[in-house]
Amino acid sequence: MEVLRPQLVRIGGRIYRKNPIQEQTYQHEEEEEDFYPGFEECAEEPCDGYEVVQTQQGFQCTLKAPSLLYKHIVGKRGDTKKKLEMETKTSISIPKPGQEGEIVITGQHRSGVISARTRIDVLLLTFRRKQPFTHFLSFFLNEVEVQERFLKFQEEVLEKCSMDHGVDSTIFQNPKKLHLTIGMLVLLSEQEIQQTCEMLKQCKEDFIDDIAGGKPLEVEMEGIEYMNDDPGMVDVLYAKVHMKDGSNRLQELVDRVLERFQASGLIMKEWTSVKLHATVMNTLLRKDPNAEGRYNSHTADGKYIFKERESFDGRNILKLFENFYFGTLKLNSIHISQRFSIDSFGNYASCGQIDFS
């Protein structure tokens, strides 16, 4: 991160600069990241987006956060919390680890309470972004016809291209897990899962019913493409998905869902449009059958993992199966799928869904 171009963080309609700081390390302690983001407001006036109530003792503001993130507000030996309280002249009450509840900020001055709240929001946002993805919004693409056609594709690829570098049976997707991803989520509590369910229902009321017309979207899964720019060194090969009637309704629907979830903060704003694709071959599966695309890159505590991949030569596959037809599907539900879990049908377990009809 450049000093003259610090990272910008948007909170409650306002933008803050997150300045680089020197981190301290302590010996003979449990290894845990201690991070206190310095920041400056991009405007001088106080933020009025928080609900601050006046009490007999002064002012108070409350917020909810997943218990998994409490430790990042407390810091090593409570240093982060003490620094926050000292600099903002407030008192911060945080529930015990493992207990869900409200974080309560109290102080004699309203400006100090608002400052503490803003800094806590920056901390929460920073460490939320370091958490591994837990769920994703998706369409299931595992209808019987498509599974059968996928297995036919696998059989023919291995029959005709098995001599090509890196091509073997281990890199094919599990046909029961074929899906179309709309966006990745970090949901750290049951409350956040419920919030996601409610937002999906609101999307249905606001625009999905109008786009889908109260009926499933009939799509075709046809043709293959690769993710990177070298067909001789492919890591991910995917099937393309499009509306059978030639319209843009599926793309419009998923893009508007993505936009709504990005605006809420539940999905990070990395893309402005969803790339409609269904992964059929992935080199991460070569060593780990449970790998999940490019998102399988963190441990449970958020530490980055570098996964060495052996790419495959996809030139013959692309030439021979460029227009392979996987079948027709009727997309009738958007699911909140849970990573690294399966249901009784072998697909990703669903924590909630909305139906079009």
Side-chain angles (χ1 to χ4, degrees), residues 156-222:
E156 292 186 8
V157 168
L158 292 175
E159 178 183 330
K160 299 176 181 179
C161 305
S162 61
M163 298 302 293
D164 295 344
H165 175 77
V167 176
D168 62 50
S169 61
T170 65
I171 62 176
F172 286 85
Q173 173 67 284
N174 180 342
K176 295 179 180 179
K177 287 189 172 183
L178 288 169
H179 65 277
L180 180 68
T181 300
I182 300 174
M184 303 299 296
L185 298 158
V186 176
L187 304 178
L188 303 177
S189 67
E190 288 298 324
Q191 180 182 1
E192 292 187 348
I193 293 175
Q194 185 59 38
Q195 180 185 355
T196 304
C197 290
E198 294 301 322
M199 183 156 293
L200 266 184
K201 292 177 183 176
Q202 193 62 50
C203 289
K204 175 176 166 60
E205 294 178 10
D206 291 349
F207 57 84
I208 289 178
D209 283 343
D210 289 338
I211 296 173
K215 299 177 182 179
L217 297 179
E218 192 166 1
V219 305
E220 289 181 314
M221 190 167 155
E222 181 179 18

Side-chain angles (χ1 to χ4, degrees), residues 8 41-43 74 163 225 242 244 277 295 302 348-349:
L8 299 181
E41 295 189 38
C42 292
V74 176
M163 298 302 293
E225 191 55 86
H242 60 265
K244 190 173 182 180
H277 72 283
Y295 301 106
Y348 291 100

